[in-house]
Amino acid sequence: MKRILLLIFLLLTACSGERVKPPIDRTFQDKDIPAQESWNSVVTFSDSGKIRAILYAGHIRMYPEKNETLLDSSIKIDFYDINERKTTTLTSKRGRVDDLTNDLFAIDSVVAVSDSVTITTDEMMWRNKDRKIVSDKFVTILSPKEKIQGYGFESDQNLKNYVIYNITYITRRDTL
């Protein structure tokens, strides 16, 4: 009987030590967690019942407290005219939407293609208020007639009327 009491005493004293606490990462900020997140998403934008654009994104993260939505894993946006015909396709590796203005910033390997013009740059913004595509970065424009390069660009979203503000290179397409 004394052995059993001694064994119980040893077990109780062995279990009464300090508890092991797991380490806590205090650098983690909960504001880095998106309020909403989706993968392989398709978002359709319409105005007065007509399709204006369709956005395809591999990954979307919404941050309401920052008023922004981050897009990554390849972005593709098809723009449509008033008759719902697809006029322009814009692609990039990632992007950001200002949720207050609904302006879209396409970032990294940006390519905008219409039926007659191809534009490449590192960054481009689609401005919601006037439906224009603008960039202050280096751009290259290929049209059936010419190749133009320069800094600063503005166009309608159909790429029909465009301006390069600081042209650095221009040549006829048949000389390329």
Side-chain angles (χ1 to χ4, degrees), residues 51-139:
I51 296 174
R52 304 303 298 186
I54 299 177
L55 165 71
Y56 305 87
H59 186 204
I60 298 175
R61 293 173 288 156
M62 296 180 69
Y63 298 91
E65 69 281 349
K66 297 178 185 176
N67 295 313
E68 72 177 4
T69 300
L70 300 180
L71 314 165
D72 59 48
S73 303
S74 296
I75 300 166
K76 176 182 168 190
I77 305 168
D78 291 327
F79 293 103
Y80 292 83
D81 66 10
I82 193 78
N83 298 316
E84 297 185 285
R85 288 184 309 221
K86 187 169 74 173
T87 59
T88 307
T89 299
L90 187 146
T91 59
S92 70
K93 288 186 177 178
R94 57 192 173 94
R96 180 177 68 86
V97 176
D98 183 323
D99 292 337
L100 296 177
T101 63
N102 289 326
D103 293 340
L104 170 86
F105 299 85
I107 303 164
D108 196 354
S109 306
V110 181
V111 179
V113 178
S114 71
D115 57 349
S116 61
V117 177
T118 299
I119 301 170
T120 58
T121 186
D122 289 334
E123 290 183 26
M124 188 178 283
M125 178 178 77
W126 176 77
R127 206 169 40 211
N128 180 47
K129 70 178 179 184
D130 56 5
R131 303 192 188 280
K132 289 194 172 187
I133 297 173
V134 298
S135 178
D136 60 353
K137 304 296 182 189
F138 183 78
V139 296

Side-chain angles (χ1 to χ4, degrees), residues 12-75:
L12 289 175
T13 57
C15 295
S16 65
E18 289 185 34
R19 293 183 180 189
V20 177
K21 294 181 179 179
I24 298 172
D25 182 5
R26 303 236 184 250
T27 61
F28 182 75
Q29 304 275 331
D30 64 347
K31 65 182 178 185
D32 295 334
I33 298 174
Q36 295 181 22
E37 199 169 12
S38 65
W39 288 266
N40 300 320
S41 302
V42 178
V43 181
T44 301
F45 300 91
S46 63
D47 184 15
S48 302
K50 294 189 175 191
I51 296 174
R52 304 303 298 186
I54 299 177
L55 165 71
Y56 305 87
H59 186 204
I60 298 175
R61 293 173 288 156
M62 296 180 69
Y63 298 91
E65 69 281 349
K66 297 178 185 176
N67 295 313
E68 72 177 4
T69 300
L70 300 180
L71 314 165
D72 59 48
S73 303
S74 296
I75 300 166

